[in-house]
Amino acid sequence: QGPPGCGKTKVSIAILQAWVHSKVAGIGPVLATSDSNIAVDNLLEGLIAVGIDAVRVGKPESVRPELLAHCLTWTPGDGGSFQAAYDQRLQRLRTAQVVCTTCIGVGADMLDRTSFRAVLVD
């Protein structure tokens, strides 16, 4: 906890990066969560910048436009079936190194059957 600009997000990204590279998380993704969409977007942006395969779970209207390509609930209109699109997103979720979402977003249906080996609350 601290004021803006004191390095909270940088520390969180460093921890997540260490977990991913050390395999402390075992098999499967690590969950990174925070209480606000802005904070989650900042985590996602930082993880992408350091080369971590991260995805975002959340409503597209709550995600910064430049991060939409990493949002599991956003589809560019492929014209396929709902089930095929859902299955594709679920597969992407399972192969990501880090899944980012808000504390409320942790309750998303897509995450119901997903196990996380480690959880970081920013």
Side-chain angles (χ1 to χ4, degrees):
Q1 186 175 1
C6 70
K8 299 179 301 290
T9 302
K10 287 184 181 182
V11 170
S12 293
I13 291 166
I15 291 169
L16 290 163
Q17 189 175 23
W19 284 354
V20 166
H21 292 305
S22 70
K23 307 283 190 224
V24 76
I27 298 171
V30 173
L31 178 64
T33 186
S34 190
D35 63 340
S36 74
N37 284 299
I38 293 170
V40 173
D41 284 351
N42 290 341
L43 279 173
L44 177 63
E45 183 178 50
L47 290 166
I48 293 164
V50 297
I52 299 295
D53 181 18
V55 296
R56 172 80 151 86
V57 175
K59 295 179 183 178
E61 59 270 15
S62 301
V63 178
R64 290 199 318 249
E66 65 272 18
L67 299 174
L68 280 175
H70 301 279
C71 188
L72 288 179
T73 54
W74 182 73
T75 54
D78 58 5
S81 73
F82 173 81
Q83 187 62 47
Y86 182 83
D87 291 344
Q88 183 180 19
R89 288 187 296 244
L90 201 54
Q91 179 61 27
R92 179 69 186 104
L93 176 74
R94 291 180 179 143
T95 60
Q97 292 174 306
V98 179
V99 174
C100 301
T101 190
T102 61
C103 295
I104 291 175
V106 171
D109 291 342
M110 189 174 287
L111 301 179
D112 277 351
R113 294 183 200 101
T114 305
S115 295
F116 297 99
R117 303 295 181 204
V119 176
L120 182 131
V121 180
D122 181 44

